Amino acid sequence: SRFETCWPALMKDSHGVIIIFNPELPSHLKEIEMWYSCFVQQQPLLDSQCLLVAHHKPGSAGDTENLSLAYPLNKLKLIHSNLEEDPEDVRMEFIKYFKSIITIINESREREEMSIIS
């Protein structure tokens, strides 16, 4: 990818990774493995800091809803977004995800503070 030189700057101090892909494109299913490897495993971030979003375009075939991803992607939180049908569901999932990231950040900050004190 021509943007690979920018990746270290993008990854620096990041607390979460959201990977959005089109589940109808087989090439995307291969690519998300690479994104997961580079942006989550090599950082390293916890799997709980990564959110997969299978985005369904308007009028797309709905049979990708029961998408089964291979290991290690099947360990990640996966949500389906279809903004025509249920934008509210997607919004709620994003809020849950952001809350979980904030919790992780706060916990690691508290651990750091405790290690400085002790």
Side-chain angles (χ1 to χ4, degrees):
S1 160
R2 59 203 158 125
F3 299 116
E4 274 182 56
T5 50
C6 307
W7 289 2
L10 285 173
M11 290 191 264
K12 187 179 181 325
D13 300 330
S14 63
H15 295 290
V17 175
I18 298 174
I19 300 173
I20 301 173
F21 65 99
N22 181 343
E24 291 170 47
L25 293 181
S27 63
H28 273 205
L29 298 179
K30 287 291 338 142
E31 277 175 39
I32 55 177
E33 288 180 23
M34 183 267 297
W35 290 108
Y36 171 73
S37 166
C38 292
F39 280 83
V40 181
Q41 288 179 311
Q42 289 174 32
Q43 284 230 69
L45 291 176
L46 301 170
D47 285 341
S48 58
Q49 287 168 279
C50 182
L51 177 66
L52 290 181
V53 181
H55 184 64
H56 301 267
K57 289 187 171 156
S60 63
D63 58 353
T64 46
E65 281 282 344
N66 44 25
L67 187 65
S68 59
L69 296 170
Y71 180 86
L73 298 173
N74 60 4
K75 301 182 301 174
L76 304 174
K77 171 85 175 148
L78 169 69
I79 65 170
H80 290 270
S81 75
N82 180 332
L83 300 180
E84 279 184 319
E85 288 173 23
D86 51 11
E88 191 54 30
D89 280 4
V90 175
R91 204 172 73 85
M92 293 311 293
E93 289 292 351
F94 268 98
I95 289 170
K96 267 197 292 197
Y97 170 70
F98 287 124
K99 281 183 175 170
S100 73
I101 294 293
I102 290 165
T103 302
I104 289 167
I105 293 168
N106 287 339
E107 284 170 357
S108 71
R109 190 170 291 147
E110 281 168 21
R111 273 198 305 275
E112 275 172 33
E113 288 168 2
M114 289 309 291
S115 68
I116 292 166
I117 293 166
S118 54

